[in-house]
Amino acid sequence: MKAIGYRQNLPIEQPESLIDLDLPEPQPGPRDLRVRVAAISVNPVDTKVRRNAAPETGQARVLGWDAVGTVDAVGSDVTGFAPGDRVYYAGSIARPGANSELHLVDERIAARAPATLGDAEAAALPLTAITAWELLFDRLQVPRGGGAGQTLLITGGAGGVGSILIQLARQLTQLRVVATASRPETRQWCLTLGAHAVVDHSRPLAAELKAIGIEAVDLVASLTQTAQHYAQLIEALKPQGRLGVIDDMPQLDAMPLKTKAISLHWEMMFTRSRFETPDMAEQGALLAEVAQLVDTGRLRTTLGEHYGRIDAANLRRAHAFVESGQARGKVVLEGF
């Protein structure tokens, strides 16, 4: 089967950083779906793994943690799906990725794809929807339908996670949603997705918030450059506020949180699948609900750029764009 992967950690500008491969077809384990992949999207995790995680000697590693496709075989213990089902999912970082014609995924973390979206539009959603959902409801512990009188600040609102988090917060809670963006096009993107207001994260955040009448916020979802904004986020939070984080930092000093009794909440959407936690199937369930919300018109795709068919050259372009930090929404590729 066709696949795209890498054999060594290289800058994306080098042709060998991602290469076309011909690999054996995978065989499903007891709880696996084997999916014929139709579309994939690229997330920052793809670029981080490509740069930093060396494959086993002599082996190639296949990336990709977003996929839409059709089930073509199932394992012996699969109960929820059958060949012919159209599914979407983010997969597991502990297994080969979805940048391949055929891919294996545990049925517990997959769901039927939104019927009203095409493959590319649906491929934009799984990883970021899971991350945003878990961050909002599991980590920051906002009740469904709750949050009245509270403000959520989302840094990096125009990125992949921010684009779906804005929508989930507006549709499923009563929070006031304030996003950050620094360009006119990303500012408008956030407003279109449902943000009540947008402030500029290239300026001091506390001053930006006060300029729109907000003295402090109850909740922060810090999605990018947390280390750069850390002190400002603490300043912007109310006493006993909650700070949710998804990005990597070289180090974290928790002591500045103490004075305000701010709680820190990490979100890692691969945790459930990596450790096969007892509630692992919650990811499949939430993806099913996201699909229903899309099909009833309450959520929309976050597709920002379509980079053509799935091959090494186009994936290198997509990785370079994601690494630039200029992406709005998600970058998607479709078809082999």
Side-chain angles (χ1 to χ4, degrees), residues 234-282:
I234 295 169
E235 181 184 2
L237 274 161
K238 291 180 180 180
Q240 303 183 83
R242 293 179 178 177
L243 171 61
V245 179
I246 69 168
D247 62 329
D248 296 333
M249 288 178 279
Q251 60 184 9
L252 174 66
D253 180 6
M255 285 304 297
L257 304 173
K258 180 180 180 180
T259 303
K260 286 187 176 180
I262 293 169
S263 57
L264 177 66
H265 306 264
W266 282 102
E267 163 56 18
M268 175 67 169
M269 61 78 53
F270 290 122
T271 296
R272 280 170 160 153
S273 58
R274 184 169 189 167
F275 295 98
E276 295 197 16
T277 59
D279 64 350
M280 180 173 166
E282 289 297 315

mmCIF file of all heavy atoms in Angstrom, residues 234-282:
data_model
loop_
_atom_site.group_PDB
_atom_site.id
_atom_site.type_symbol
_atom_site.label_atom_id
_atom_site.label_comp_id
_atom_site.label_asym_id
_atom_site.label_seq_id
_atom_site.Cartn_x
_atom_site.Cartn_y
_atom_site.Cartn_z
ATOM 1 N N ILE A 234 -1.746 34.694 33.857
ATOM 2 C CA ILE A 234 -1.967 34.716 35.303
ATOM 3 C C ILE A 234 -2.524 36.073 35.732
ATOM 4 O O ILE A 234 -3.457 36.150 36.547
ATOM 5 C CB ILE A 234 -0.660 34.392 36.046
ATOM 6 C CG1 ILE A 234 -0.238 32.946 35.743
ATOM 7 C CG2 ILE A 234 -0.805 34.610 37.547
ATOM 8 C CD1 ILE A 234 1.152 32.592 36.208
ATOM 9 N N GLU A 235 -1.986 37.145 35.164
ATOM 10 C CA GLU A 235 -2.494 38.484 35.472
ATOM 11 C C GLU A 235 -3.951 38.627 35.044
ATOM 12 O O GLU A 235 -4.759 39.252 35.746
ATOM 13 C CB GLU A 235 -1.647 39.533 34.753
ATOM 14 C CG GLU A 235 -2.078 40.962 35.035
ATOM 15 C CD GLU A 235 -1.286 41.985 34.243
ATOM 16 O OE1 GLU A 235 -0.410 41.584 33.444
ATOM 17 O OE2 GLU A 235 -1.556 43.194 34.415
ATOM 18 N N ALA A 236 -4.311 38.037 33.897
ATOM 19 C CA ALA A 236 -5.664 38.186 33.357
ATOM 20 C C ALA A 236 -6.697 37.329 34.087
ATOM 21 O O ALA A 236 -7.893 37.622 34.025
ATOM 22 C CB ALA A 236 -5.675 37.826 31.872
ATOM 23 N N LEU A 237 -6.257 36.287 34.803
ATOM 24 C CA LEU A 237 -7.191 35.389 35.480
ATOM 25 C C LEU A 237 -7.666 35.949 36.821
ATOM 26 O O LEU A 237 -6.910 36.590 37.547
ATOM 27 C CB LEU A 237 -6.538 34.032 35.717
ATOM 28 C CG LEU A 237 -6.629 33.027 34.568
ATOM 29 C CD1 LEU A 237 -5.589 31.928 34.722
ATOM 30 C CD2 LEU A 237 -8.031 32.413 34.495
ATOM 31 N N LYS A 238 -8.905 35.656 37.146
ATOM 32 C CA LYS A 238 -9.445 35.998 38.457
ATOM 33 C C LYS A 238 -8.842 35.081 39.523
ATOM 34 O O LYS A 238 -8.381 33.970 39.221
ATOM 35 C CB LYS A 238 -10.961 35.802 38.470
ATOM 36 C CG LYS A 238 -11.740 36.781 37.624
ATOM 37 C CD LYS A 238 -13.230 36.479 37.719
ATOM 38 C CE LYS A 238 -14.042 37.451 36.875
ATOM 39 N NZ LYS A 238 -15.505 37.153 36.955
ATOM 40 N N PRO A 239 -8.860 35.513 40.789
ATOM 41 C CA PRO A 239 -8.521 34.585 41.870
ATOM 42 C C PRO A 239 -9.392 33.334 41.780
ATOM 43 O O PRO A 239 -10.592 33.417 41.492
ATOM 44 C CB PRO A 239 -8.821 35.388 43.137
ATOM 45 C CG PRO A 239 -8.661 36.817 42.705
ATOM 46 C CD PRO A 239 -9.164 36.872 41.290
ATOM 47 N N GLN A 240 -8.763 32.169 41.990
ATOM 48 C CA GLN A 240 -9.414 30.868 41.906
ATOM 49 C C GLN A 240 -9.853 30.522 40.473
ATOM 50 O O GLN A 240 -10.739 29.694 40.270
ATOM 51 C CB GLN A 240 -10.598 30.765 42.879
ATOM 52 C CG GLN A 240 -10.217 31.014 44.322
ATOM 53 C CD GLN A 240 -11.373 30.843 45.266
ATOM 54 O OE1 GLN A 240 -11.692 29.727 45.679
ATOM 55 N NE2 GLN A 240 -12.016 31.957 45.613
ATOM 56 N N GLY A 241 -9.210 31.165 39.515
ATOM 57 C CA GLY A 241 -9.482 30.838 38.121
ATOM 58 C C GLY A 241 -8.823 29.532 37.710
ATOM 59 O O GLY A 241 -8.078 28.910 38.479
ATOM 60 N N ARG A 242 -9.092 29.117 36.474
ATOM 61 C CA ARG A 242 -8.557 27.855 35.964
ATOM 62 C C ARG A 242 -7.809 28.104 34.665
ATOM 63 O O ARG A 242 -8.312 28.794 33.778
ATOM 64 C CB ARG A 242 -9.686 26.841 35.739
ATOM 65 C CG ARG A 242 -10.347 26.396 37.024
ATOM 66 C CD ARG A 242 -11.474 25.417 36.775
ATOM 67 N NE ARG A 242 -12.049 24.972 38.037
ATOM 68 C CZ ARG A 242 -13.094 24.155 38.139
ATOM 69 N NH1 ARG A 242 -13.703 23.711 37.050
ATOM 70 N NH2 ARG A 242 -13.550 23.790 39.331
ATOM 71 N N LEU A 243 -6.625 27.523 34.582
ATOM 72 C CA LEU A 243 -5.777 27.655 33.401
ATOM 73 C C LEU A 243 -5.622 26.285 32.753
ATOM 74 O O LEU A 243 -5.078 25.360 33.360
ATOM 75 C CB LEU A 243 -4.402 28.216 33.801
ATOM 76 C CG LEU A 243 -3.309 28.227 32.727
ATOM 77 C CD1 LEU A 243 -3.715 29.078 31.529
ATOM 78 C CD2 LEU A 243 -1.993 28.722 33.329
ATOM 79 N N GLY A 244 -6.109 26.144 31.520
ATOM 80 C CA GLY A 244 -5.967 24.911 30.756
ATOM 81 C C GLY A 244 -4.914 25.083 29.678
ATOM 82 O O GLY A 244 -4.878 26.106 28.988
ATOM 83 N N VAL A 245 -4.043 24.075 29.527
ATOM 84 C CA VAL A 245 -2.884 24.174 28.639
ATOM 85 C C VAL A 245 -2.806 22.931 27.767
ATOM 86 O O VAL A 245 -3.071 21.813 28.242
ATOM 87 C CB VAL A 245 -1.584 24.298 29.461
ATOM 88 C CG1 VAL A 245 -0.371 24.373 28.555
ATOM 89 C CG2 VAL A 245 -1.641 25.523 30.372
ATOM 90 N N ILE A 246 -2.412 23.122 26.487
ATOM 91 C CA ILE A 246 -2.209 21.952 25.618
ATOM 92 C C ILE A 246 -0.825 21.912 24.990
ATOM 93 O O ILE A 246 -0.407 20.861 24.498
ATOM 94 C CB ILE A 246 -3.264 21.869 24.496
ATOM 95 C CG1 ILE A 246 -3.095 22.995 23.472
ATOM 96 C CG2 ILE A 246 -4.675 21.837 25.067
ATOM 97 C CD1 ILE A 246 -3.924 22.803 22.206
ATOM 98 N N ASP A 247 -0.095 23.033 24.952
ATOM 99 C CA ASP A 247 1.162 23.052 24.205
ATOM 100 C C ASP A 247 2.350 22.714 25.090
ATOM 101 O O ASP A 247 2.234 22.623 26.317
ATOM 102 C CB ASP A 247 1.356 24.396 23.499
ATOM 103 C CG ASP A 247 1.456 25.570 24.468
ATOM 104 O OD1 ASP A 247 0.835 25.506 25.542
ATOM 105 O OD2 ASP A 247 2.150 26.546 24.144
ATOM 106 N N ASP A 248 3.496 22.502 24.455
ATOM 107 C CA ASP A 248 4.708 22.133 25.170
ATOM 108 C C ASP A 248 5.461 23.379 25.622
ATOM 109 O O ASP A 248 5.488 24.391 24.922
ATOM 110 C CB ASP A 248 5.633 21.298 24.277
ATOM 111 C CG ASP A 248 5.001 19.975 23.884
ATOM 112 O OD1 ASP A 248 4.157 19.479 24.647
ATOM 113 O OD2 ASP A 248 5.350 19.456 22.809
ATOM 114 N N MET A 249 6.073 23.284 26.800
ATOM 115 C CA MET A 249 6.904 24.368 27.311
ATOM 116 C C MET A 249 8.232 23.781 27.774
ATOM 117 O O MET A 249 8.272 22.661 28.295
ATOM 118 C CB MET A 249 6.207 25.062 28.485
ATOM 119 C CG MET A 249 5.019 25.903 28.087
ATOM 120 S SD MET A 249 4.197 26.640 29.537
ATOM 121 C CE MET A 249 3.197 25.253 30.078
ATOM 122 N N PRO A 250 9.330 24.516 27.601
ATOM 123 C CA PRO A 250 10.623 23.989 28.060
ATOM 124 C C PRO A 250 10.660 23.752 29.557
ATOM 125 O O PRO A 250 11.338 22.859 30.041
ATOM 126 C CB PRO A 250 11.619 25.066 27.629
ATOM 127 C CG PRO A 250 10.806 26.310 27.422
ATOM 128 C CD PRO A 250 9.476 25.825 26.960
ATOM 129 N N GLN A 251 9.920 24.567 30.315
ATOM 130 C CA GLN A 251 9.798 24.385 31.755
ATOM 131 C C GLN A 251 8.556 25.120 32.234
ATOM 132 O O GLN A 251 8.032 25.985 31.535
ATOM 133 C CB GLN A 251 11.036 24.896 32.488
ATOM 134 C CG GLN A 251 11.302 26.370 32.258
ATOM 135 C CD GLN A 251 12.589 26.825 32.926
ATOM 136 O OE1 GLN A 251 13.364 26.031 33.427
ATOM 137 N NE2 GLN A 251 12.815 28.137 32.947
ATOM 138 N N LEU A 252 8.088 24.758 33.415
ATOM 139 C CA LEU A 252 6.902 25.399 33.970
ATOM 140 C C LEU A 252 7.104 25.632 35.457
ATOM 141 O O LEU A 252 7.328 24.687 36.217
ATOM 142 C CB LEU A 252 5.665 24.516 33.746
ATOM 143 C CG LEU A 252 4.377 25.017 34.421
ATOM 144 C CD1 LEU A 252 3.933 26.338 33.790
ATOM 145 C CD2 LEU A 252 3.282 23.981 34.307
ATOM 146 N N ASP A 253 7.036 26.885 35.846
ATOM 147 C CA ASP A 253 7.102 27.260 37.259
ATOM 148 C C ASP A 253 5.676 27.486 37.739
ATOM 149 O O ASP A 253 5.028 28.463 37.354
ATOM 150 C CB ASP A 253 7.942 28.525 37.415
ATOM 151 C CG ASP A 253 8.048 28.980 38.867
ATOM 152 O OD1 ASP A 253 7.568 28.246 39.757
ATOM 153 O OD2 ASP A 253 8.603 30.074 39.097
ATOM 154 N N ALA A 254 5.174 26.592 38.574
ATOM 155 C CA ALA A 254 3.799 26.692 39.056
ATOM 156 C C ALA A 254 3.633 27.674 40.202
ATOM 157 O O ALA A 254 2.502 28.037 40.548
ATOM 158 C CB ALA A 254 3.299 25.309 39.493
ATOM 159 N N MET A 255 4.727 28.145 40.790
ATOM 160 C CA MET A 255 4.612 29.012 41.967
ATOM 161 C C MET A 255 3.825 30.301 41.707
ATOM 162 O O MET A 255 3.079 30.745 42.590
ATOM 163 C CB MET A 255 5.999 29.339 42.517
ATOM 164 C CG MET A 255 6.652 28.184 43.263
ATOM 165 S SD MET A 255 5.618 27.552 44.630
ATOM 166 C CE MET A 255 5.529 28.998 45.688
ATOM 167 N N PRO A 256 3.941 30.941 40.532
ATOM 168 C CA PRO A 256 3.160 32.174 40.331
ATOM 169 C C PRO A 256 1.648 31.966 40.394
ATOM 170 O O PRO A 256 0.896 32.929 40.535
ATOM 171 C CB PRO A 256 3.594 32.625 38.931
ATOM 172 C CG PRO A 256 4.965 32.065 38.758
ATOM 173 C CD PRO A 256 4.907 30.734 39.441
ATOM 174 N N LEU A 257 1.198 30.705 40.317
ATOM 175 C CA LEU A 257 -0.229 30.412 40.396
ATOM 176 C C LEU A 257 -0.749 30.464 41.832
ATOM 177 O O LEU A 257 -1.960 30.575 42.053
ATOM 178 C CB LEU A 257 -0.525 29.023 39.817
ATOM 179 C CG LEU A 257 -0.068 28.751 38.376
ATOM 180 C CD1 LEU A 257 -0.296 27.287 38.037
ATOM 181 C CD2 LEU A 257 -0.801 29.650 37.389
ATOM 182 N N LYS A 258 0.151 30.391 42.793
ATOM 183 C CA LYS A 258 -0.260 30.182 44.179
ATOM 184 C C LYS A 258 -1.057 31.345 44.749
ATOM 185 O O LYS A 258 -2.101 31.143 45.397
ATOM 186 C CB LYS A 258 0.966 29.904 45.046
ATOM 187 C CG LYS A 258 0.619 29.666 46.511
ATOM 188 C CD LYS A 258 1.858 29.381 47.349
ATOM 189 C CE LYS A 258 1.486 29.160 48.808
ATOM 190 N NZ LYS A 258 2.678 28.877 49.649
ATOM 191 N N THR A 259 -0.587 32.574 44.550
ATOM 192 C CA THR A 259 -1.209 33.729 45.196
ATOM 193 C C THR A 259 -2.698 33.832 44.878
ATOM 194 O O THR A 259 -3.526 34.104 45.753
ATOM 195 C CB THR A 259 -0.500 35.027 44.777
ATOM 196 O OG1 THR A 259 0.889 34.920 45.116
ATOM 197 C CG2 THR A 259 -1.106 36.233 45.485
ATOM 198 N N LYS A 260 -3.049 33.554 43.613
ATOM 199 C CA LYS A 260 -4.451 33.612 43.201
ATOM 200 C C LYS A 260 -5.156 32.250 43.319
ATOM 201 O O LYS A 260 -6.331 32.140 42.972
ATOM 202 C CB LYS A 260 -4.562 34.099 41.756
ATOM 203 C CG LYS A 260 -4.299 35.579 41.558
ATOM 204 C CD LYS A 260 -4.601 35.973 40.109
ATOM 205 C CE LYS A 260 -4.451 37.452 39.874
ATOM 206 N NZ LYS A 260 -4.751 37.810 38.456
ATOM 207 N N ALA A 261 -4.436 31.243 43.792
ATOM 208 C CA ALA A 261 -5.001 29.891 43.878
ATOM 209 C C ALA A 261 -5.570 29.446 42.528
ATOM 210 O O ALA A 261 -6.658 28.876 42.431
ATOM 211 C CB ALA A 261 -6.075 29.808 44.962
ATOM 212 N N ILE A 262 -4.801 29.715 41.494
ATOM 213 C CA ILE A 262 -5.189 29.303 40.132
ATOM 214 C C ILE A 262 -4.844 27.838 39.944
ATOM 215 O O ILE A 262 -3.745 27.390 40.283
ATOM 216 C CB ILE A 262 -4.462 30.171 39.086
ATOM 217 C CG1 ILE A 262 -4.965 31.616 39.157
ATOM 218 C CG2 ILE A 262 -4.646 29.606 37.679
ATOM 219 C CD1 ILE A 262 -4.128 32.601 38.357
ATOM 220 N N SER A 263 -5.775 27.076 39.413
ATOM 221 C CA SER A 263 -5.520 25.665 39.171
ATOM 222 C C SER A 263 -5.052 25.465 37.726
ATOM 223 O O SER A 263 -5.485 26.168 36.809
ATOM 224 C CB SER A 263 -6.773 24.829 39.437
ATOM 225 O OG SER A 263 -7.860 25.277 38.647
ATOM 226 N N LEU A 264 -4.148 24.506 37.551
ATOM 227 C CA LEU A 264 -3.550 24.218 36.244
ATOM 228 C C LEU A 264 -4.064 22.875 35.740
ATOM 229 O O LEU A 264 -4.057 21.880 36.478
ATOM 230 C CB LEU A 264 -2.028 24.177 36.364
ATOM 231 C CG LEU A 264 -1.238 23.825 35.110
ATOM 232 C CD1 LEU A 264 -1.388 24.911 34.054
ATOM 233 C CD2 LEU A 264 0.246 23.621 35.459
ATOM 234 N N HIS A 265 -4.493 22.843 34.482
ATOM 235 C CA HIS A 265 -5.100 21.640 33.912
ATOM 236 C C HIS A 265 -4.454 21.320 32.566
ATOM 237 O O HIS A 265 -4.541 22.103 31.624
ATOM 238 C CB HIS A 265 -6.609 21.853 33.712
ATOM 239 C CG HIS A 265 -7.316 22.285 34.950
ATOM 240 N ND1 HIS A 265 -7.976 21.403 35.786
ATOM 241 C CD2 HIS A 265 -7.443 23.523 35.525
ATOM 242 C CE1 HIS A 265 -8.490 22.072 36.805
ATOM 243 N NE2 HIS A 265 -8.180 23.350 36.673
ATOM 244 N N TRP A 266 -3.809 20.156 32.485
ATOM 245 C CA TRP A 266 -3.191 19.724 31.228
ATOM 246 C C TRP A 266 -4.186 18.892 30.415
ATOM 247 O O TRP A 266 -4.865 18.020 30.956
ATOM 248 C CB TRP A 266 -1.958 18.869 31.503
ATOM 249 C CG TRP A 266 -0.747 19.644 31.894
ATOM 250 C CD1 TRP A 266 -0.247 19.810 33.155
ATOM 251 C CD2 TRP A 266 0.118 20.376 31.025
ATOM 252 N NE1 TRP A 266 0.878 20.594 33.112
ATOM 253 C CE2 TRP A 266 1.128 20.953 31.820
ATOM 254 C CE3 TRP A 266 0.144 20.587 29.641
ATOM 255 C CZ2 TRP A 266 2.153 21.736 31.280
ATOM 256 C CZ3 TRP A 266 1.156 21.362 29.107
ATOM 257 C CH2 TRP A 266 2.145 21.926 29.922
ATOM 258 N N GLU A 267 -4.218 19.144 29.132
ATOM 259 C CA GLU A 267 -4.994 18.308 28.220
ATOM 260 C C GLU A 267 -4.050 17.641 27.219
ATOM 261 O O GLU A 267 -3.212 18.298 26.597
ATOM 262 C CB GLU A 267 -6.034 19.142 27.459
ATOM 263 C CG GLU A 267 -6.603 18.487 26.209
ATOM 264 C CD GLU A 267 -7.238 17.123 26.449
ATOM 265 O OE1 GLU A 267 -7.565 16.771 27.606
ATOM 266 O OE2 GLU A 267 -7.419 16.386 25.457
ATOM 267 N N MET A 268 -4.184 16.315 27.091
ATOM 268 C CA MET A 268 -3.421 15.528 26.123
ATOM 269 C C MET A 268 -4.394 14.512 25.535
ATOM 270 O O MET A 268 -4.765 13.541 26.201
ATOM 271 C CB MET A 268 -2.242 14.831 26.812
ATOM 272 C CG MET A 268 -1.458 13.900 25.906
ATOM 273 S SD MET A 268 -0.585 14.789 24.614
ATOM 274 C CE MET A 268 0.473 13.480 23.973
ATOM 275 N N MET A 269 -4.844 14.743 24.313
ATOM 276 C CA MET A 269 -5.923 13.902 23.786
ATOM 277 C C MET A 269 -5.491 12.473 23.509
ATOM 278 O O MET A 269 -6.335 11.595 23.358
ATOM 279 C CB MET A 269 -6.552 14.525 22.538
ATOM 280 C CG MET A 269 -5.663 14.735 21.340
ATOM 281 S SD MET A 269 -5.321 13.264 20.347
ATOM 282 C CE MET A 269 -6.957 12.674 20.035
ATOM 283 N N PHE A 270 -4.193 12.198 23.471
ATOM 284 C CA PHE A 270 -3.722 10.825 23.254
ATOM 285 C C PHE A 270 -3.677 10.005 24.543
ATOM 286 O O PHE A 270 -3.381 8.808 24.501
ATOM 287 C CB PHE A 270 -2.332 10.838 22.625
ATOM 288 C CG PHE A 270 -2.303 11.304 21.199
ATOM 289 C CD1 PHE A 270 -1.539 12.395 20.830
ATOM 290 C CD2 PHE A 270 -3.048 10.658 20.227
ATOM 291 C CE1 PHE A 270 -1.505 12.825 19.511
ATOM 292 C CE2 PHE A 270 -3.027 11.084 18.907
ATOM 293 C CZ PHE A 270 -2.251 12.176 18.547
ATOM 294 N N THR A 271 -3.927 10.608 25.696
ATOM 295 C CA THR A 271 -3.792 9.882 26.961
ATOM 296 C C THR A 271 -4.697 8.656 27.005
ATOM 297 O O THR A 271 -4.270 7.559 27.380
ATOM 298 C CB THR A 271 -4.089 10.817 28.144
ATOM 299 O OG1 THR A 271 -3.107 11.854 28.164
ATOM 300 C CG2 THR A 271 -4.060 10.061 29.462
ATOM 301 N N ARG A 272 -5.966 8.827 26.658
ATOM 302 C CA ARG A 272 -6.900 7.704 26.755
ATOM 303 C C ARG A 272 -6.483 6.523 25.874
ATOM 304 O O ARG A 272 -6.514 5.371 26.315
ATOM 305 C CB ARG A 272 -8.315 8.173 26.399
ATOM 306 C CG ARG A 272 -9.018 8.896 27.537
ATOM 307 C CD ARG A 272 -10.300 9.557 27.094
ATOM 308 N NE ARG A 272 -11.197 9.827 28.219
ATOM 309 C CZ ARG A 272 -12.100 10.796 28.247
ATOM 310 N NH1 ARG A 272 -12.242 11.604 27.205
ATOM 311 N NH2 ARG A 272 -12.879 10.967 29.296
ATOM 312 N N SER A 273 -6.102 6.808 24.638
ATOM 313 C CA SER A 273 -5.730 5.701 23.746
ATOM 314 C C SER A 273 -4.362 5.133 24.094
ATOM 315 O O SER A 273 -4.146 3.917 23.992
ATOM 316 C CB SER A 273 -5.755 6.173 22.288
ATOM 317 O OG SER A 273 -4.887 7.270 22.078
ATOM 318 N N ARG A 274 -3.434 5.979 24.518
ATOM 319 C CA ARG A 274 -2.092 5.499 24.823
ATOM 320 C C ARG A 274 -2.089 4.541 26.003
ATOM 321 O O ARG A 274 -1.387 3.525 26.002
ATOM 322 C CB ARG A 274 -1.177 6.689 25.117
ATOM 323 C CG ARG A 274 0.266 6.306 25.365
ATOM 324 C CD ARG A 274 1.165 7.527 25.377
ATOM 325 N NE ARG A 274 2.565 7.166 25.393
ATOM 326 C CZ ARG A 274 3.554 8.021 25.164
ATOM 327 N NH1 ARG A 274 3.270 9.295 24.901
ATOM 328 N NH2 ARG A 274 4.811 7.634 25.205
ATOM 329 N N PHE A 275 -2.891 4.855 27.025
ATOM 330 C CA PHE A 275 -2.925 4.016 28.221
ATOM 331 C C PHE A 275 -4.139 3.093 28.254
ATOM 332 O O PHE A 275 -4.316 2.350 29.222
ATOM 333 C CB PHE A 275 -2.898 4.900 29.474
ATOM 334 C CG PHE A 275 -1.627 5.684 29.628
ATOM 335 C CD1 PHE A 275 -1.557 7.014 29.234
ATOM 336 C CD2 PHE A 275 -0.493 5.094 30.146
ATOM 337 C CE1 PHE A 275 -0.389 7.743 29.370
ATOM 338 C CE2 PHE A 275 0.689 5.808 30.289
ATOM 339 C CZ PHE A 275 0.741 7.136 29.893
ATOM 340 N N GLU A 276 -4.954 3.140 27.198
ATOM 341 C CA GLU A 276 -6.180 2.337 27.118
ATOM 342 C C GLU A 276 -6.949 2.440 28.436
ATOM 343 O O GLU A 276 -7.259 1.442 29.095
ATOM 344 C CB GLU A 276 -5.866 0.885 26.750
ATOM 345 C CG GLU A 276 -5.273 0.760 25.365
ATOM 346 C CD GLU A 276 -5.319 -0.656 24.811
ATOM 347 O OE1 GLU A 276 -6.068 -1.496 25.352
ATOM 348 O OE2 GLU A 276 -4.602 -0.923 23.846
ATOM 349 N N THR A 277 -7.253 3.665 28.821
ATOM 350 C CA THR A 277 -7.956 3.927 30.065
ATOM 351 C C THR A 277 -9.356 3.300 30.033
ATOM 352 O O THR A 277 -9.906 3.048 28.951
ATOM 353 C CB THR A 277 -8.078 5.439 30.292
ATOM 354 O OG1 THR A 277 -8.784 6.022 29.182
ATOM 355 C CG2 THR A 277 -6.702 6.081 30.410
ATOM 356 N N PRO A 278 -9.948 3.046 31.201
ATOM 357 C CA PRO A 278 -11.284 2.438 31.212
ATOM 358 C C PRO A 278 -12.336 3.251 30.467
ATOM 359 O O PRO A 278 -13.323 2.682 29.982
ATOM 360 C CB PRO A 278 -11.608 2.352 32.715
ATOM 361 C CG PRO A 278 -10.278 2.289 33.394
ATOM 362 C CD PRO A 278 -9.377 3.149 32.571
ATOM 363 N N ASP A 279 -12.118 4.569 30.372
ATOM 364 C CA ASP A 279 -13.086 5.421 29.678
ATOM 365 C C ASP A 279 -12.639 5.776 28.259
ATOM 366 O O ASP A 279 -13.082 6.765 27.683
ATOM 367 C CB ASP A 279 -13.349 6.700 30.474
ATOM 368 C CG ASP A 279 -12.117 7.587 30.609
ATOM 369 O OD1 ASP A 279 -10.997 7.141 30.246
ATOM 370 O OD2 ASP A 279 -12.260 8.734 31.073
ATOM 371 N N MET A 280 -11.791 4.948 27.677
ATOM 372 C CA MET A 280 -11.268 5.203 26.335
ATOM 373 C C MET A 280 -12.373 5.429 25.306
ATOM 374 O O MET A 280 -12.255 6.261 24.407
ATOM 375 C CB MET A 280 -10.388 4.020 25.917
ATOM 376 C CG MET A 280 -9.758 4.095 24.545
ATOM 377 S SD MET A 280 -8.616 2.699 24.355
ATOM 378 C CE MET A 280 -8.334 2.720 22.590
ATOM 379 N N ALA A 281 -13.491 4.728 25.444
ATOM 380 C CA ALA A 281 -14.589 4.835 24.481
ATOM 381 C C ALA A 281 -15.284 6.192 24.518
ATOM 382 O O ALA A 281 -16.094 6.495 23.624
ATOM 383 C CB ALA A 281 -15.605 3.733 24.722
ATOM 384 N N GLU A 282 -14.979 7.028 25.531
ATOM 385 C CA GLU A 282 -15.547 8.374 25.561
ATOM 386 C C GLU A 282 -15.156 9.173 24.323
ATOM 387 O O GLU A 282 -15.907 10.048 23.877
ATOM 388 C CB GLU A 282 -15.102 9.116 26.818
ATOM 389 C CG GLU A 282 -15.729 8.603 28.105
ATOM 390 C CD GLU A 282 -17.232 8.791 28.110
ATOM 391 O OE1 GLU A 282 -17.692 9.885 27.731
ATOM 392 O OE2 GLU A 282 -17.948 7.850 28.482
#
